[in-house]
Amino acid sequence: MGRVSLLGLLRQPKYRHLRMRALIALGAGLVVGLALWSWRLGVAAAILAAIADTVYRAQTASSVAPWRRASAAERRTEAQLKKLERNGYLTLHARAIPDSDAQIDHLIVGPTGVYAVDSEKWDKRLPVRVQSHRKLFHGPFNQKPRLDEARWEASRASELITEALGREVTVVPSLAIYGPAIPWKILNIREVDVFDGSRVRKWITNRERSLTEEEIQDIYAAAAEVLLPRYPEG
């Protein structure tokens, strides 16, 4: 078997991110080195640029393959939720509700509880408004079906996880909206919390701690078993 050169490996499509990282590091090194007339500072700048690119990609890389992701809204929510991992939160993405066409975009289990987040990208040109805290409108369109679906998904997930564990587990439903301005912080409409997508993390963390680390692990494992991936590997 012939030897494979490093250059040959880097030319492969799956290593495109490494090529980009090398170019970023080289560019940073040349700019700093030439500007300050110091090869040492140039090397240091190249190393720092490579590290920064590595950290950025680690924080923004999706756990769901690009062709499988349903929307930009889900990707934005997923990027926010990745930052909660260091605080003990675990997340499942694109999980199907058995015997239905419905899915929970993001199921989060952590110290403050269990949450179902459905991410929505709406037309920013149409206003969002509420009537009597019971009706949600996007422009002229009544969003009752969407609220009912989010509430049902969370309720069904709660039932399945409760049955698997043998103790009651409540899943809090929510709708994270991207696009139009949301004229409130967090509003509960038809038993579903509705908020601007940028508030996902605050909505989850600004609550009292209610689960131990062991309970989090148990609930997460049960949820992963009863809510199968919408796009299974292989």
Side-chain angles (χ1 to χ4, degrees), residues 136-189:
L136 175 67
F137 290 88
H138 178 219
F141 306 107
N142 190 336
Q143 297 299 315
K144 179 181 179 298
R146 191 66 191 86
L147 291 171
D148 290 345
E149 183 180 18
R151 185 177 66 251
W152 179 82
E153 290 169 356
S155 175
R156 188 70 187 115
S158 177
E159 292 171 356
L160 292 168
I161 297 171
T162 293
E163 182 178 350
L165 287 180
R167 64 182 181 84
E168 185 173 1
V169 174
T170 299
V171 179
V172 183
S174 71
L175 205 59
I177 300 172
Y178 297 91
I182 306 300
W184 60 77
K185 291 184 177 180
I186 296 172
L187 191 63
N188 188 273
I189 309 171

Side-chain angles (χ1 to χ4, degrees), residues 118-135:
D118 276 355
S119 300
E120 294 281 307
K121 179 68 170 70
W122 289 358
D123 190 336
K124 65 181 180 181
R125 296 169 297 181
L126 300 179
V128 176
R129 57 191 175 87
V130 173
Q131 284 185 358
S132 305
H133 287 257
R134 294 291 297 170
K135 294 182 179 181

Side-chain angles (χ1 to χ4, degrees), residues 46-89:
I47 293 173
L48 290 175
I51 292 174
D53 181 67
T54 301
V55 172
Y56 173 78
R57 289 181 181 277
Q59 291 181 342
T60 57
S62 173
S63 62
V64 182
W67 64 270
R68 292 170 174 164
R69 281 178 261 151
S71 70
E74 290 177 43
R75 296 197 294 273
R76 292 177 66 179
T77 297
E78 184 183 353
Q80 292 188 65
L81 295 176
K82 284 181 70 70
K83 298 176 182 178
L84 290 179
E85 293 175 0
R86 69 192 71 171
N87 297 322
Y89 289 87

